[in-house]
Amino acid sequence: ETTNVLAFAALKQPITVDKVVSLFEKYGPVTFVRLSRNPASKKPTGMAFVEFKNEDDRIKYVFSSGRLVINPV
């Protein structure tokens, strides 16, 4: 179980893994990004999962983003 992952919804399309990494790497090293797709249509759902290398970097994002994070993945 990892505590270094955050989920994001309602991302503007089109979004790429490289774009997501560039948005979040200023908070710390990003080790993994998964962009969710609709299984039937294969179209992006606008949701992404971002894994930081360190939990402290995930926490840094949560506190510096100014966004409410209810339940980190």
Side-chain angles (χ1 to χ4, degrees), residues 1-2 8 12-13 15 25 30 33 37-41 43 49 52-53 55 60 62-63 65 68-69 73:
E1 179 179 324
T2 182
F8 298 90
K12 292 183 180 179
Q13 301 299 327
I15 191 82
E25 67 185 355
V30 173
V33 172
R37 293 190 174 273
N38 179 302
S41 69
K43 292 183 179 181
F49 297 88
F52 290 96
K53 182 175 181 180
E55 184 178 8
K60 187 186 328 177
V62 169
F63 284 105
S65 70
L68 178 62
V69 176
V73 176

Side-chain angles (χ1 to χ4, degrees), residues 9-68:
L11 298 172
K12 292 183 180 179
Q13 301 299 327
I15 191 82
T16 65
V17 169
D18 290 339
K19 180 67 174 171
V20 172
V21 170
S22 71
L23 290 170
F24 293 99
E25 67 185 355
K26 62 184 167 189
Y27 301 100
V30 173
T31 57
F32 182 76
V33 172
R34 183 171 69 90
L35 299 177
S36 179
R37 293 190 174 273
N38 179 302
S41 69
K42 305 297 185 211
K43 292 183 179 181
T45 63
M47 189 162 192
F49 297 88
V50 178
E51 180 178 11
F52 290 96
K53 182 175 181 180
N54 305 302
E55 184 178 8
D56 288 345
D57 297 329
R58 178 187 62 85
I59 292 168
K60 187 186 328 177
Y61 170 78
V62 169
F63 284 105
S64 66
S65 70
R67 296 178 188 237
L68 178 62

